[in-house]
Amino acid sequence: MQKAMTITYEVGENLYLNITNRCPCACTFCIRTHGDNAYGSEPLWLDHEPPLEEICAALDQRDLSRYREIVFCGFGEPTERLEVLQQTAAYAKAHGAKSIRLNTNGLSDLIHSKPTAAALKGYVDTVSISLNAGTKEGYLAVTRPKFGEGAFDAMQAYAVDCKAYVPQVMLTVVDVLSPDEIAASQALAQKLDIPLRVRRYDG
């Protein structure tokens, strides 16, 4: 019998959703390059992208009201499946979810070739965007986006746009960056008027 895919997995008080393995980036620190799982989960590589019905069935196995947040974050960029993300968030909220967070690389506008921040309104309560570096050169070296140099500006524009549609928006960097890069990231976050969180690298 084939083993079930990992669509949901717990991290502390939160429930994480793994809905795609597609991603337009190849970050140098990406946890996908170090193993098949995250935070002690079962393997997160999907043998197919689960349709909404399959995601909802996985959510039905959980008491969503138990979790502080439901987080879109797996082995891929959740906004690759923006409509499914919306539908899943709506289902989760209707079934007891207290708060929905999206962890994203911020390149949704480039993925879909149009502005997309408004699509999160009413579905997502917090957006956490991977800034990864405070300069374009540092960002491109670390993130390696398939969209090229325009990705750095597009990510920032998306972050600013999200402030109009999502109650809480934050930028993040991992603590493997040099002190100079972290300082540059803090300066950029301040310029954009968005809080910055320096998170511990768990790769």
Side-chain angles (χ1 to χ4, degrees):
M1 183 176 179
Q2 187 178 21
K3 193 175 186 299
M5 296 190 304
T6 303
I7 298 173
T8 69
Y9 61 106
E10 294 180 333
V11 180
E13 299 178 274
N14 299 332
L15 183 69
Y16 280 48
L17 298 181
N18 181 43
I19 64 171
T20 185
N21 288 159
R22 286 183 283 158
C23 184
C25 301
C27 297
T28 56
F29 56 81
C30 183
I31 58 175
R32 304 197 309 182
T33 64
H34 299 290
D36 295 333
N37 59 13
Y39 307 106
S41 72
E42 294 297 315
L44 295 175
W45 292 112
L46 300 167
D47 57 36
H48 65 274
E49 286 195 335
L52 178 64
E53 295 75 18
E54 197 170 343
I55 297 170
C56 292
L59 289 175
D60 288 343
Q61 302 303 310
R62 308 279 191 172
D63 176 2
L64 301 187
S65 66
R66 289 182 49 238
Y67 301 102
R68 186 170 59 87
E69 288 182 306
I70 308 300
V71 185
F72 286 92
C73 179
F75 261 17
E77 167 51 44
T79 62
E80 289 274 4
R81 305 187 69 194
L82 191 54
E83 185 176 353
V84 170
L85 187 158
Q86 292 173 313
Q87 295 168 332
T88 301
Y91 186 87
K93 287 195 170 189
H95 290 77
K98 297 184 180 78
S99 183
I100 305 290
R101 169 160 48 105
L102 167 63
N103 287 0
T104 176
N105 57 32
L107 300 181
S108 179
D109 292 355
L110 296 182
I111 291 170
H112 298 283
S113 301
K114 64 181 181 180
T116 58
L120 303 180
K121 186 176 182 179
Y123 297 102
V124 173
D125 302 292
T126 302
V127 175
S128 177
I129 300 165
S130 298
L131 177 59
N132 290 339
T135 64
K136 178 180 285 189
E137 295 76 19
Y139 175 85
L140 293 173
V142 168
T143 307
R144 300 184 295 188
K146 74 177 185 180
F147 300 111
E149 291 191 3
F152 186 61
D153 291 337
M155 175 270 298
Q156 294 176 67
Y158 178 78
V160 171
D161 286 351
C162 281
K163 293 196 291 181
Y165 304 107
V166 179
Q168 184 175 6
V169 180
M170 70 180 78
L171 297 167
T172 68
V173 295
V174 290
D175 60 7
V176 297
L177 297 180
S178 70
D180 286 346
E181 276 289 0
I182 290 177
S185 299
Q186 290 170 331
L188 179 57
Q190 186 173 7
K191 177 184 174 184
L192 299 175
D193 193 27
I194 298 174
L196 177 73
R197 183 170 74 92
V198 181
R199 55 190 177 86
R200 185 169 63 88
Y201 178 62
D202 293 301

